[in-house]
């Protein structure tokens, strides 16, 4: 289960129990000693935010992908789609009314697509760097 999908919405007792179960499983697998597991369990029980729960389970804050970075590609794609649709509708209206069929919406369609793709690539690049740094540990 990914770190971003594991905890959603408000922090509930069920979220804390899930985090505690993951910590106990990691302890039983030998990833943590008893004192480290106890420290993480205390963090999970006192966590009031999902970021704090993720830190308690994942360990270091840099192991957790920021929620804004996870959501950015979807937001960029949605904005690009919205702006593109508006521009195409305006272009069609101008074309029908004046008969001028210049291809100016292509700048918006391709330029916005490149920007949205760049945001998507930045997230994937961050994920790959995180996975490589975990393998090297």
């Amino acid at each position: 289960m990914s770190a971003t999908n594991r905890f959603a919405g408000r922090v509930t007792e069920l979220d804390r129990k899930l985090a505690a179960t993951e910590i106990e499983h990691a302890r039983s697998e030998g990833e943590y000693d008893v004192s480290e597991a106890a420290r993480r369990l205390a963090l999970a029980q006192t966590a009031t935010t999902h970021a704090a729960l993720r830190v308690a389970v994942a360990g270091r804050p840099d192991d957790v992908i920021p929620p804004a970075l996870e959501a950015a590609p979807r937001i960029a794609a949605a904005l690009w789609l919205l702006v593109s649709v508006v521009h195409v509708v305006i272009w069609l209206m101008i074309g029908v009314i004046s008969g001028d069929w210049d291809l100016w919406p292509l700048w918006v369609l391709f330029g916005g697509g490149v920007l949205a793709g760049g945001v998507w690539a930045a997230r994937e690049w961050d994920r790959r760097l995180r996975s490589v740094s975990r393998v090297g540990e």
Side-chain angles (χ1 to χ4, degrees):
M1 196 179 296
S2 73
T4 56
N5 294 334
R6 186 176 8 202
F7 305 113
R10 292 184 348 202
V11 175
T12 64
E13 273 309 303
L14 184 60
D15 293 330
R16 288 186 183 101
K17 287 179 183 178
L18 178 61
T21 301
E22 291 186 32
I23 292 167
E24 285 297 325
H25 176 71
R27 187 193 56 77
S28 69
E29 293 290 319
E31 292 180 35
Y32 311 132
D33 60 4
V34 175
S35 63
E36 177 66 13
R39 185 185 71 78
R40 288 176 185 267
L41 285 171
L43 285 174
Q45 290 304 316
T46 59
T48 57
T49 65
H50 294 291
L53 278 177
R54 288 187 202 106
V55 169
V57 172
R60 295 176 292 154
D62 59 339
D63 285 344
V64 179
I65 298 172
L69 186 60
E70 279 295 309
R74 288 189 305 272
I75 293 169
L79 285 173
W80 170 59
L81 182 64
L82 176 70
V83 169
S84 296
V85 167
V86 167
H87 275 82
V88 168
V89 168
I90 291 171
W91 175 72
L92 287 172
M93 288 173 43
I94 290 172
V96 168
I97 292 171
S98 70
D100 185 16
W101 295 99
D102 288 338
L103 298 178
W104 59 266
L106 294 178
W107 290 103
V108 174
L109 297 175
F110 292 127
V114 167
L115 290 174
V119 171
W120 207 285
R123 184 190 64 180
E124 291 303 315
W125 181 64
D126 182 69
R127 284 182 177 175
R128 288 186 182 139
L129 284 179
R130 288 173 190 274
S131 66
V132 166
S133 67
R134 277 187 227 125
V135 170
E137 293 176 350

